[in-house]
């Protein structure tokens, strides 16, 4: 057992989406600036923070079991260990966590993460459990706010305060990475009937464009080559300041022009409604913008889309795909699909397959419907598609997509791609097709390594080269392909 050498050793575990990854990075920055040290093993820590996800039941189940194991660990090994549950599950499940997990010392929702340093200090001082949540879980329900028994800051000051988390980001060439996320919106107002995000992250708010541009500038100056703007529905971005109005298209163009040394600008996730041509025009003319759109359809059946409260039809979704292709014939799409949403029949499922084939996604994320307590779908519909059917439909969509992805990747064999080198490959063998041995060692001849990078279309490319290439844009000639990865050789 490692002896804890410092009272400020922090182990931070992150589940979920890019938003959580960014939140964890910002929390770490904030605490490092106050003298905390990040450790990679939980038994080296005297503070453990779990940044949680609530989107599907499985994500929450993992945290419940982890908290159960930590209760035993704390009792047997380190009674002074501070355990914090933060993020979406903290916001949604704070009552259950405080009742079922008395060894948890702090519970902090995503809208109050800027308060973590003072919460940790208060735990140390008072030994009392600290709670900071916004009460978003009551959104849309007629309740007396006092009933939630928590302080509920008004929305403006709440979002102003949480803005301080992003504004205090530690940016220096010492901790520079070639890619970075920058938040442009928080929360979501869409209220898709299956989704907990509006209840976990609260109403949609938009960051000041100057804050976003400054952050992108600083990150790029410090060494970032690719920035991904993130939000739940980025195309809804708009900001009004003293009579000046900034749309999402304006924001993209302003960033593109303000930071000419940025090699690539991406954004996720787009909502398939209110996606106007002004954004497509900017994407087409801004040469350093990625030719890639993540546009979750969720279903190919209009009946299911209505029950999901998505607010668009299959026809309008296809119209958007066609408009995007008219502006950028080479644009690639990623999608999300949910299988087994209540009342989904085989015919609805076949409509989803039809849509996948019609769009020809580059890649697709497929999820089995998971009823989430508190959502409209969970209240209104029985979870009436059997687990076996969900599994089969899940596989069927993935099989269709694997076929499309493989065909697309095969069509690129022999072409030369511009690749932004991201990292060393963790895969033992990235060359299943050519005969070069199983490369069980990451380091190859002359100090070269297996490297991974991405094209502007978000295709993953594996090749051999010097680790010094990480962060650079290189040319790679493709020699082979799987459905997930292109394999190639560096062109000098
Ligand atoms: N706009 C967000 C969506 C967040 S949730 C974004 O940035 O990606 C991510 C995906 O999880 C959704 O697009 C949806 O396909 C899936 N999802 C959300 N709630 C779900 C549920 N209850 N069951 C199954 N999948 C779900
Ligand atoms: Fe969820 Fe729909 Fe918003 S999927 S994040 S409520 S766009």
């Amino acid at each position: 057992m490692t002896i804890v050498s410092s009272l400020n050793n922090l182990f931070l575990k992150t589940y979920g989406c890019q938003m959580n990854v960014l939140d964890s990075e910002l929390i770490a920055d904030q605490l490092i600036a106050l003298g905390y040290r990040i450790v990679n093993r939980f038994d080296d820590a005297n503070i453990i923070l779990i940044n949680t996800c609530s989107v599907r039941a499985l994500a929450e189940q993992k945290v419940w079991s982890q908290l159960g194991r930590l209760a035993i660990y704390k009792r047997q090994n380190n009674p002074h260990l501070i355990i914090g549950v933060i993020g979406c599950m903290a916001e949604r499940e704070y009552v259950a966590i405080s009742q079922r997990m008395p060894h948890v010392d702090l519970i902090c929702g995503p809208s109050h993460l800027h308060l973590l340093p003072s919460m940790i200090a208060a735990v140390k001082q008072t030994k009392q459990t600290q709670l900071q949540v916004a009460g978003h879980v009551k959104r849309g329900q007629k309740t007396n706010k006092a009933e939630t028994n928590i302080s509920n800051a008004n929305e403006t000051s709440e979002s102003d305060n949480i803005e301080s988390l992003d504004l205090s980001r530690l940016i220096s060439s010492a901790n520079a990475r070639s890619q970075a996320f920058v938040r442009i919106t928080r929360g979501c107002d869409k209220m898709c009937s299956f989704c907990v995000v509006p209840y976990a992250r609260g109403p949609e708010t938009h960051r000041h464009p100057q804050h976003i541009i400054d952050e992108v500038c600083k990150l790029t100056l410090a060494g970032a080559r690719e920035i991904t703007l993130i939000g739940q529905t980025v195309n809804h971005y708009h900001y009004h300041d003293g009579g000046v109005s900034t749309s999402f298209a304006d924001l993209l163009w302003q960033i593109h022009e303000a930071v000419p040394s940025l090699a690539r600008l991406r954004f996720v996730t787009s909502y398939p409604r209110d996606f106007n041509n002004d954004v497509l025009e900017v994407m087409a003319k801004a040469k350093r913008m990625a030719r890639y759109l993540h546009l979750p359809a969720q279903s190919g059946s209009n009946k299911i889309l209505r029950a999901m409260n998505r607010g668009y039809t299959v026809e309008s979704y296809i119209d958007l795909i066609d408009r995007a292709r008219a502006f950028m014939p080479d644009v690639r799409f990623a999608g999300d699909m949910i299988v087994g949403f209540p009342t989904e029949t085989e015919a609805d499922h076949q409509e989803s397959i039809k849509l996948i084939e019609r769009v020809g996604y580059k890649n697709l994320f497929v999820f089995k419907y998971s009823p989430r307590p508190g959502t409209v779908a969970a209240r209104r519909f029985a979870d009436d598609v059997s687990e076996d059917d969900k599994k089969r439909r899940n596989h069927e969509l993935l099989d269709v997509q694997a076929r499309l992805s493989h065909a697309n990747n095969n069509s690129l064999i022999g072409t030369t791609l511009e690749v932004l080198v991201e990292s060393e490959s963790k895969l033992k063998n990235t060359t299943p097709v050519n005969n070069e041995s199983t490369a069980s060692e990451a380091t190859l001849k002359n100090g070269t390594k297996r490297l991974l990078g991405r094209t502007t279309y978000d295709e993953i490319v594996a090749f051999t080269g010097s680790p010094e290439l990480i962060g650079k844009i290189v040319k790679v000639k493709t020699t082979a392909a799987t459905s997930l990865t292109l394999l190639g050789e560096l062109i000098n």
Side-chain angles (χ1 to χ4, degrees):
M1 176 67 36
T2 314
I3 309 246
V4 174
S5 57
S6 154
L7 285 178
N8 285 340
N9 277 355
L10 170 71
F11 179 82
L12 182 53
K13 171 81 188 162
T14 307
Y15 292 97
C17 64
Q18 296 103 332
M19 222 22 115
N20 269 15
V21 171
L22 175 61
D23 279 339
S24 284
E25 191 182 325
L26 298 177
I27 291 161
D29 280 357
Q30 203 178 31
L31 292 168
I32 288 167
L34 293 169
Y36 289 80
R37 198 162 67 109
I38 305 293
V39 294
N40 295 321
R41 291 156 42 109
F42 78 92
D43 51 3
D44 286 338
N46 70 316
I47 303 172
I48 295 179
L49 296 178
I50 308 179
N51 195 0
T52 55
C53 170
S54 284
V55 166
R56 282 168 291 278
L58 191 66
E60 289 195 346
Q61 277 154 19
K62 275 189 202 156
V63 174
W64 284 121
S65 15
Q66 194 165 21
L67 288 174
R69 288 193 300 273
L70 279 175
I72 301 168
Y73 173 78
K74 180 170 173 171
R75 196 169 55 240
Q76 293 180 348
N77 301 292
N78 190 357
H80 300 296
L81 178 69
I82 295 175
I83 298 175
V85 180
I86 63 176
C88 293
M89 198 174 154
E91 181 67 42
R92 272 178 30 80
E93 292 284 1
Y94 63 94
V95 176
I97 295 169
S98 55
Q99 285 170 357
R100 286 171 54 187
M101 300 287 166
H103 60 292
V104 168
D105 303 281
L106 70 86
I107 303 175
C108 181
S111 310
H112 289 88
L113 294 174
H114 57 292
L115 298 177
L116 269 177
S118 56
M119 291 176 77
I120 296 172
V123 171
K124 285 180 177 171
Q125 213 168 31
T126 65
K127 313 277 179 246
Q128 300 288 311
T129 305
Q130 301 295 309
L131 170 70
Q132 287 288 349
V133 293
H136 298 312
V137 75
K138 302 279 177 191
R139 253 185 118 179
Q141 295 173 27
K142 290 191 192 75
T143 45
N144 176 356
K145 279 198 175 154
E147 232 179 75
T148 62
N149 195 27
I150 49 168
S151 66
N152 205 341
N154 77 49
E155 304 301 351
T156 321
S157 63
E158 187 183 291
S159 67
D160 282 353
N161 290 335
I162 186 69
E163 178 66 8
S164 67
L165 185 69
D166 297 66
L167 290 179
S168 60
R169 186 170 194 168
L170 277 187
I171 302 175
S172 79
S173 42
N175 67 1
R177 281 196 234 127
S178 58
Q179 294 155 291
F181 293 133
V182 171
R183 185 175 357 242
I184 66 167
T185 67
R186 297 189 172 81
C188 188
D189 284 341
K190 289 263 72 75
M191 297 292 186
C192 301
S193 64
F194 52 82
C195 184
V196 291
V197 172
Y199 307 96
R201 290 199 168 258
E204 190 174 278
T205 57
H206 306 251
R207 295 186 68 204
H208 196 293
Q210 203 51 53
H211 291 183
I212 299 168
I213 295 170
D214 287 350
E215 197 173 321
V216 174
C217 264
K218 285 187 204 158
L219 285 162
T220 309
L221 282 175
R225 304 302 320 283
E226 178 181 275
I227 299 282
T228 305
L229 306 176
I230 62 172
Q232 304 299 343
T233 56
V234 283
N235 48 311
H236 289 157
Y237 178 87
H238 59 88
Y239 201 91
H240 302 285
D241 185 21
V244 180
S245 182
T246 307
S247 67
F248 182 53
D250 296 334
L251 179 72
L252 289 179
W253 185 245
Q254 283 171 20
I255 295 173
H256 189 264
E257 294 306 284
V259 198
S261 56
L262 178 64
R264 229 179 245 167
L265 180 60
R266 294 186 185 280
F267 55 84
V268 287
T269 305
S270 302
Y271 194 73
R273 210 185 69 194
D274 316 317
F275 199 113
N276 300 326
N277 286 352
D278 57 350
V279 178
L280 298 173
E281 257 167 50
V282 168
M283 286 180 76
K285 78 173 173 186
K287 293 290 169 252
R288 289 169 290 113
M289 283 220 56
R291 292 292 173 98
Y292 167 82
L293 283 170
H294 184 179
L295 274 171
Q298 312 297 2
S299 171
S301 151
N302 280 330
K303 178 194 93 186
I304 298 294
L305 287 177
R306 256 194 319 277
M308 288 176 164
N309 192 32
R310 290 288 286 181
Y312 56 84
T313 59
V314 177
E315 292 72 24
S316 67
Y317 182 86
I318 290 174
D319 173 65
L320 171 55
I321 298 285
D322 290 348
R323 272 191 291 129
R325 285 201 169 119
F327 278 93
M328 296 165 284
D330 57 346
V331 68
R332 303 304 319 268
F333 302 99
D336 294 1
M337 284 280 180
I338 295 179
V339 293
F341 188 82
T343 77
E344 185 188 67
T345 60
E346 278 308 308
D348 296 318
H349 172 61
Q350 290 303 321
E351 301 261 29
S352 291
I353 292 180
K354 228 167 82 189
L355 181 62
I356 295 167
E357 286 175 333
R358 169 69 169 80
V359 176
Y361 292 106
K362 183 197 79 68
N363 67 303
L364 183 70
F365 302 94
V366 184
F367 305 100
K368 288 183 288 171
Y369 172 67
S370 164
R372 306 306 293 122
T375 59
V376 170
R379 281 202 300 274
R380 194 169 290 169
F381 306 111
D383 182 16
D384 60 357
V385 178
S386 71
E387 186 55 29
D388 280 354
D389 279 341
K390 283 184 188 170
K391 272 193 194 143
R392 178 179 50 79
R393 290 177 191 174
N394 188 37
H395 280 128
E396 283 176 8
L397 294 200
L398 288 174
D399 285 349
V400 172
Q401 183 55 44
R403 182 166 47 75
L404 291 171
S405 300
H406 211 150
N408 171 64
N409 283 354
N410 275 340
S411 75
L412 294 170
I413 295 176
T415 61
T416 300
L417 306 171
E418 279 203 348
V419 176
L420 176 61
V421 188
E422 291 184 356
S423 60
E424 286 177 23
S425 167
K426 292 193 186 80
L427 289 183
K428 296 220 163 164
N429 180 9
T430 53
T431 54
V433 182
N434 75 19
N435 238 353
E436 203 184 329
S437 69
T438 47
S440 50
E441 286 167 29
T443 306
L444 307 165
K445 278 180 278 175
N446 312 326
T448 58
K449 298 218 168 180
R450 301 273 176 215
L451 300 178
L452 283 182
R454 264 170 219 264
T455 66
T456 183
Y457 311 106
D458 203 46
E459 289 136 346
I460 300 168
V461 185
F463 59 99
T464 302
S466 156
E468 281 168 18
L469 294 175
I470 291 171
K472 300 208 164 56
I473 293 190
V474 298
K475 287 198 161 51
V476 176
K477 182 154 189 209
T478 39
T479 51
T482 70
S483 60
L484 294 176
T485 315
L486 288 156
L487 311 157
E489 287 161 6
L490 192 63
I491 297 180
N492 294 310

